[in-house]
C-alpha cells in the first residue's frame, strides 16, 4: 500500500532528529568517525536570504558549489558503442586517439555565500577527463572521471582539495540520470559511512558547467584510492615480501590486472566476472606481487569453500574482518543492491590486519532504481558469493540479526530515513528545478532509449506497471515507499536468516 510520505515525514521529524543526535553520539563513541554532511553543514537558500550580488537574476545563482570544466572543444572520450549483438563492444577515443583528454577545471565553492557561473575560482587547475561508469555511460547525462594533474606535466598527478573534501587526485562526477531523486548516492554513501565506521568515499552536491553549458545537479565523489587521506594503507615498497592490497570484482576489467583466483577457476564466481588487482598499482604489478595477492585472497576462498568450513570451523575469522562483512551485508540487503559479488565489490587488506569487504561504491541503483525491478521482499545475497558460506556460521548469522536490529533503532530507523530524505530535498531547493529544466524530458519514457529507462514491472495479475516516474515528486515517493516497505519486510523476516545455518539445511548441503 502506498505511503502518504508528507504526513509520515511530519509525524516522524522530531523523533528522527532525536534519533540522529543519539545515534551520532553513540557512533562517535564506538568508532571515532564523524561524517561531514553537506546538507547539515552548509546554509540553505532560506538561510542565505536573497542574493545581494544579482538579486537572483543571474543565469546561474546557486547555494550549491559550482564545478566548471573547459575542454577547449575536444571530444570527451569514453562513450560506449555496441557490437553486432547489441552489447558494449568498446569505448570512444578522443580526437587524437587518446583515452582521456586534458582539461581546465575550476570550482566556485566558498562556504556560506551565493555562487555564480562567472565567479572567481576557489580551486583551479589541469585534469585528465573522460566518461566513466558501466551502464551509465549510455545515459545522455554523463558521469565523468576527473584526475587532477600538474599543469606543466599531465603525467604527474596532483592532490587537491575539492569542495572541502580531503585532498586527492581522482574524483568521480556522478550525474544522476536514472535516479530522478538526484540523491541516492549522496544519501547512501553518508549512511554507509555511519554504519561501517570506516573510510567511505566522501560526497558533495554541486552544479556542473561544461564548456559554459549548464549540465544540472551532480554529485562529486571521492573515488576508492589508496592514499593517506582515503584508504590509508601500509604503502608497498618494491621488493616487499608481504604487502597490503586492494582488489575488486567487476564485469569489465583490464586483462593485465585480472587474477585467476580460486573461485574463478572453480566456477564459483558470477558468470563473466573477474577479480581485478588495483593496489599495488600497475607499475608495481610484478609476477611476485600478483602471486602474493592471488595466494592471500585465494587462501580465504579455499577455506570458505572447504570441508573444514562445512564442519563448523571458525578458522575463517582469523583471516577476515567479520564486522565489515556483517555491516556490508546489511547495507546491501537493506538498500536492495544486486551488485554484491557481481560488480563494484571491493576487498582490501592491510599488512597489519585482516581482509575487509568494502569500501562501498555506486548506489545509483539503490532502492529499486535498477534497469529491471528489484522487489522489496526476499533476501538478495544470502546465497551469493562468500555469503553463501558465511551464512552457514551460526555466530555470523546471529551477529547480522543483532546488528540489523540495533541499526533499525537509529541510523536505519524508518523515522530517521524519512526525515533524512526530507531534509536533503529541502536543502537542494531550486537546484532541483534547474536540473529538470534541462533533463525534464526524461520523465517521459517515450523520449528515452531502452538503455536509459527502467523495464516495466510484472504485477501479481500478470499486467505490466511502468516504473519510470512521471515527476520528481513521484520519484521521491516511490523511493521512500520502497525504503519503508523494504525495512518493514526485513523487520518481519530477519530472523529467518537462521535457516541458512540450521542443521537440517546443513545436512542437505553435505548430502548434495
Amino acid at each position: 500500500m502506498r505511503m502518504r510520505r508528507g504526513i509520515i515525514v511530519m509525524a516522524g521529524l522530531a523523533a528522527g532528529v532525536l534519533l540522529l543526535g543519539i545515534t551520532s553520539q553513540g557512533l562517535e563513541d564506538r568508532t571515532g568517525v564523524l561524517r561531514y554532511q553537506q546538507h547539515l553543514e552548509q546554509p540553505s537558500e532560506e538561510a542565505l536570504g536573497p542574493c545581494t550580488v544579482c538579486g537572483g537574476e543571474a543565469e546561474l545563482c546557486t547555494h550549491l558549489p559550482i564545478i566548471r570544466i573547459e575542454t577547449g572543444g575536444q571530444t570527451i572520450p569514453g562513450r560506449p558503442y555496441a557490437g553486432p549483438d547489441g552489447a558494449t563492444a568498446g569505448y570512444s577515443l578522443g580526437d587524437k586517439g587518446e583515452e582521456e583528454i586534458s582539461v581546465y577545471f575550476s570550482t566556485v565553492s566558498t562556504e556560506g555565500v551565493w555562487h555564480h557561473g562567472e565567479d572567481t575560482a576557489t580551486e583551479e587547475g589541469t585534469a585528465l577527463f573522460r566518461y566513466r561508469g558501466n551502464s551509465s555511460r549510455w545515459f545522455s547525462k554523463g558521469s565523468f572521471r576527473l584526475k587532477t594533474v600538474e599543469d606543466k606535466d599531465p603525467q604527474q598527478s596532483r592532490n587537491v582539495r575539492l569542495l572541502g573534501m580531503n585532498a586527492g587526485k581522482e574524483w568521480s562526477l556522478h550525474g544522476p540520470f536514472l535516479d530522478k531523486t538526484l540523491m541516492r548516492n549522496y544519501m547512501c554513501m553518508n549512511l554507509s559511512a555511519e554504519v561501517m565506521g570506516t573510510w567511505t568515499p566522501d560526497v558533495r552536491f554541486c552544479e556542473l558547467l561544461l564548456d559554459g553549458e549548464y549540465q544540472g545537479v551532480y554529485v562529486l565523489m571521492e573515488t576508492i584510492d589508496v592514499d593517506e587521506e582515503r584508504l590509508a594503507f601500509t604503502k608497498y615498497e618494491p621488493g616487499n615480501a608481504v604487502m597490503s592490497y586492494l582488489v575488486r570484482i567487476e564485469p569489465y576489467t583490464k586483462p593485465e590486472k585480472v587474477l585467476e583466483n580460486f573461485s574463478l577457476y572453480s566456477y564459483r564466481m558470477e558468470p563473466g566476472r573477474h577479480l581485478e588487482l588495483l593496489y599495488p598499482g600497475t607499475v608495481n604489478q610484478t609476477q611476485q606481487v600478483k602471486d602474493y595477492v592471488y595466494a592471500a585472497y585465494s587462501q580465504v576462498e579455499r577455506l570458505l569453500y572447504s570441508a573444514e568450513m562445512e564442519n563448523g570451523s571458525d578458522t575463517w575469522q582469523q583471516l577476515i574482518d567479520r564486522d565489515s562483512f556483517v555491516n556490508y551485508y546489511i547495507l546491501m540487503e537493506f538498500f536492495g543492491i544486486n551488485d554484491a559479488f557481481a560488480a563494484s565489490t571491493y576487498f582490501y587488506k592491510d599488512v597489519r590486519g585482516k581482509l575487509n569487504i568494502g569500501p562501498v561504491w555506486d548506489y545509483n541503483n539503490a532502492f529499486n532504481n535498477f534497469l529491471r525491478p528489484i522487489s522489496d521482499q526476499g533476501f538478495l545475497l544470502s546465497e551469493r558469493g562468500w555469503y553463501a558460506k558465511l551464512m552457514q556460521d551460526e555466530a555470523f548469522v546471529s551477529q547480522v540479526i543483532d546488528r540489523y536490529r540495533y541499526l533499525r533503532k537509529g541510523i536505519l530507523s524508518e523515522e530517521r530515513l524519512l526525515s533524512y530524505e526530507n531534509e536533503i530535498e529541502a536543502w537542494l531547493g531550486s537546484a532541483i528545478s534547474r536540473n529538470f529544466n534541462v533533463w525534464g524530458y526524461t520523465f517521459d519514457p517515450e523520449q528515452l532509449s531502452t538503455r536509459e529507462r527502467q523495464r516495466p514491472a510484472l504485477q501479481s495479475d500478470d499486467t505490466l506497471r511502468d516504473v519510470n516516474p512521471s515527476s520528481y515528486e513521484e520519484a521521491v515517493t516511490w523511493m521512500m515507499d520502497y525504503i519503508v516497505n523494504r525495512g518493514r519486510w526485513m523487520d518481519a523476516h530477519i530472523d529467518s536468516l537462521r535457516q541458512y545455518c540450521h542443521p537440517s539445511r546443513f545436512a542437505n548441503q553435505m548430502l548434495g
Side-chain angles (χ1 to χ4, degrees), residues 5 7 11 21 36 38 43 46 113 115 133 156 159 184 212 220 243 261 270 282 297 311 320 352 376 405 453 480:
R5 186 175 57 88
I7 294 175
Y36 176 101
Q38 184 185 23
E46 182 180 1
V113 300
H115 302 130
Q156 181 64 43
N159 279 22
R184 280 177 169 84
L220 182 69
M243 67 200 70
N261 57 302
E270 292 287 306
T282 306
Y297 185 87
N311 288 329
I320 75 173
R352 299 166 294 184
D376 55 24
R405 295 205 181 282
R453 62 175 186 261
M480 298 314 296

Side-chain angles (χ1 to χ4, degrees), residues 249-269:
I249 296 173
E250 280 284 357
Y252 304 105
T253 53
K254 293 186 177 181
E256 65 272 18
K257 292 186 176 184
V258 168
L259 298 177
E260 300 288 329
N261 57 302
F262 173 76
S263 64
L264 177 66
Y265 65 73
S266 60
Y267 301 101
R268 289 179 169 90
M269 288 187 76

Side-chain angles (χ1 to χ4, degrees), residues 18-19 24 44 73 84 94 112 136 167 193 212 248 279 284 292 354 363 375 383 393 448 473 505:
L18 178 61
L19 281 166
S24 295
S44 64
S136 63
R248 71 176 172 188
Y279 185 88
N284 289 315
Y292 174 85
K354 301 177 182 180
Y363 282 125
S375 175
E383 297 185 274
D393 187 274
L448 301 175
E473 178 63 25
R505 186 182 183 93

Side-chain angles (χ1 to χ4, degrees), residues 310 505-512:
E310 292 188 355
R505 186 182 183 93
F506 182 71
N508 288 337
Q509 290 184 355
M510 293 293 286
L511 290 172

Side-chain angles (χ1 to χ4, degrees), residues 41-107:
E41 301 288 342
Q42 290 301 305
S44 64
E45 293 173 321
E46 182 180 1
L48 283 177
C51 177
T52 58
V53 175
C54 72
E57 297 299 319
E59 186 173 352
L60 177 56
C61 177
T62 176
H63 66 303
L64 268 63
I66 298 171
I67 293 183
R68 302 177 294 211
I69 304 292
E70 299 292 338
T71 70
Q74 300 174 85
T75 299
I76 303 171
R79 281 293 196 188
Y81 55 86
D85 61 354
T88 300
Y91 302 101
S92 65
L93 300 175
D95 298 323
K96 299 178 182 178
E98 64 269 66
E99 294 184 353
E100 49 193 2
I101 59 173
S102 180
V103 301
Y104 168 77
F105 77 90
S106 61
T107 72

Side-chain angles (χ1 to χ4, degrees), residues 235 349 483:
K235 292 295 182 69
K349 183 184 184 301
I483 291 173

Side-chain angles (χ1 to χ4, degrees), residues 149-362:
V149 296
E150 295 291 345
D151 293 342
K152 296 181 180 180
D153 184 6
Q155 301 305 312
Q156 181 64 43
S157 61
R158 180 169 72 97
N159 279 22
V160 298
R161 290 175 59 87
L162 294 181
L163 310 192
M165 291 186 276
N166 289 336
K169 64 181 180 294
E170 188 171 312
W171 310 82
S172 172
L173 266 170
H174 166 64
F177 182 83
L178 192 66
D179 175 17
K180 300 299 190 292
T181 73
L182 308 177
M183 65 180 79
R184 280 177 169 84
N185 260 317
Y186 178 87
M187 279 183 61
C188 293
M189 281 295 182
N190 284 328
L191 292 169
S192 294
E194 295 180 12
V195 170
M196 297 292 284
T198 53
W199 178 80
T200 300
D202 209 349
V203 288
R204 297 287 191 276
F205 282 115
C206 61
E207 293 180 82
L208 177 65
L209 292 174
L210 182 58
D211 289 327
E213 185 175 347
Y214 181 74
Q215 301 295 311
V217 172
Y218 272 69
V219 180
L220 182 69
M221 305 173 64
E222 293 181 326
T223 58
I224 296 174
D225 194 14
V226 177
D227 193 276
E228 289 181 2
E229 297 196 48
R230 293 191 184 177
L231 200 54
F233 274 173
T234 301
K235 292 295 182 69
Y236 171 75
E237 296 292 340
N240 282 2
V242 179
M243 67 200 70
S244 304
Y245 64 86
L246 170 68
V247 295
R248 71 176 172 188
I249 296 173
E250 280 284 357
Y252 304 105
T253 53
K254 293 186 177 181
E256 65 272 18
K257 292 186 176 184
V258 168
L259 298 177
E260 300 288 329
N261 57 302
F262 173 76
S263 64
L264 177 66
Y265 65 73
S266 60
Y267 301 101
R268 289 179 169 90
M269 288 187 76
E270 292 287 306
R273 271 58 178 181
H274 294 90
L275 186 72
E276 185 176 25
L277 176 59
L278 301 179
Y279 185 88
T282 306
V283 69
N284 289 315
Q285 288 183 13
T286 63
Q287 193 59 51
Q288 176 193 359
V289 167
K290 290 183 175 180
D291 287 347
Y292 174 85
V293 178
Y294 155 79
Y297 185 87
S298 292
Q299 179 188 11
V300 179
E301 293 193 311
R302 289 178 184 276
L303 178 59
L304 291 177
Y305 291 107
S306 69
E308 183 179 349
M309 179 72 176
E310 292 188 355
N311 288 329
S313 170
D314 62 356
T315 308
W316 59 272
Q317 295 189 65
Q318 300 174 21
L319 299 178
I320 75 173
D321 185 283
R322 187 169 76 174
D323 290 350
S324 74
F325 280 82
V326 168
N327 287 325
Y328 190 93
Y329 176 81
I330 292 169
L331 288 170
M332 297 302 111
E333 285 285 11
F334 190 83
F335 293 167
I337 302 296
N338 199 38
D339 279 349
F341 286 91
S344 299
T345 306
Y346 291 77
F347 305 84
Y348 68 91
K349 183 184 184 301
D350 188 90
V351 293
R352 299 166 294 184
K354 301 177 182 180
L355 182 66
N356 287 253
I357 189 168
V360 296
W361 182 252
D362 193 4

